Amino acid sequence: MILKLQIEKAARALGLAAKVELADITTANALARDADIIVTSDELAGRIGKVKAKIITIKNYMSLPEMTEKLKQATSS
Amino acid sequence: MDIKELLTIERVAVRKTAPDWEAAVRAVGQLLVDSGAVEPRYIDSMIQTTRELGPYIVIAPGLAIPHGRPEEGVRRPCMAVLTLDPPVEFGNKDNDPVSILVALGATDAEQHVQALQQMAETLSEPANMQALVDATTPEEVTRVMWSGSTVV
């Protein structure tokens, strides 16, 4: 939930129209089929499995600069 | 709900010691139990969740947010803060050691959004994180944590 709030904030700052949906580790795989980007922590990234979506891992959930930077990279490449 | 409604002053303890992460999680969970917001079994749920999902609950340098499952004993939405001196290792390679625990008890996700937003706003300021670490009284903690509140 904190990640969702931070993603929305960072997306606004970047001028991206993002639709952010929350998933826990058990539902992430199913939801990820329709997602472009998955944002998670290092700790959980390894448990998501094989998906088409890009995975961004966040170390500091409280850092808007980290989120903005990583989101920018993922959407520009 | 506003952060002031979730985090009441009796749910704050400062400068505690804990031998390991589990004791620290139990201590912050106990604050929720003592205030009547959760049943004692919620503490076990917090420990279980932390074990299952690993040290991902350490979401920022020095900050952990232990929480359990809503259906495992949450009576009403709540938040507690415990600071540790000395800090404790949770096994998170980026963000250890932990000196601030913010325990969450949610009944549903939506009720929490506003308070979490206020918390994220406050704790994204490094100076506020430091103020929590340095706090010697619960009043100092609530002053920082309530700074994002919209309730006067």
Side-chain angles (χ1 to χ4, degrees), chain A residues 1-2 5-6 9 25 41-44 47 59-62, chain B residues 52 55-56 59-61 92-95 116-117 119 121 124:
Chain A
M1 180 56 82
I2 291 173
L5 297 171
Q6 296 286 83
K9 227 190 220 179
I25 198 71
S41 68
D42 269 1
E43 310 284 341
L44 298 181
R47 297 171 56 168
K59 291 185 200 301
N60 183 348
Y61 282 34
M62 291 294 160
Chain B
E52 272 167 26
Y56 96 102
I59 60 165
N92 182 300
K93 64 182 188 306
D94 298 307
N95 297 327
L116 285 178
Q117 212 149 18
M119 181 183 88
E121 199 70 53
S124 57

Side-chain angles (χ1 to χ4, degrees), chain B residues 29-86:
Chain B
Q30 193 60 45
L31 294 169
L32 296 178
V33 172
D34 290 345
S35 72
V38 305
E39 296 167 30
R41 68 190 172 110
Y42 187 64
I43 296 181
D44 296 319
S45 178
M46 290 167 76
I47 302 278
Q48 191 55 35
T49 305
T50 309
R51 281 222 184 91
E52 272 167 26
L53 297 178
Y56 96 102
I57 67 159
V58 189
I59 60 165
L63 173 69
I65 50 158
H67 53 277
R69 301 174 67 83
E71 65 275 19
E72 290 179 351
V74 179
R75 293 199 185 111
R76 45 183 181 274
C78 53
M79 184 185 282
V81 174
L82 174 78
T83 68
L84 295 169
D85 185 22

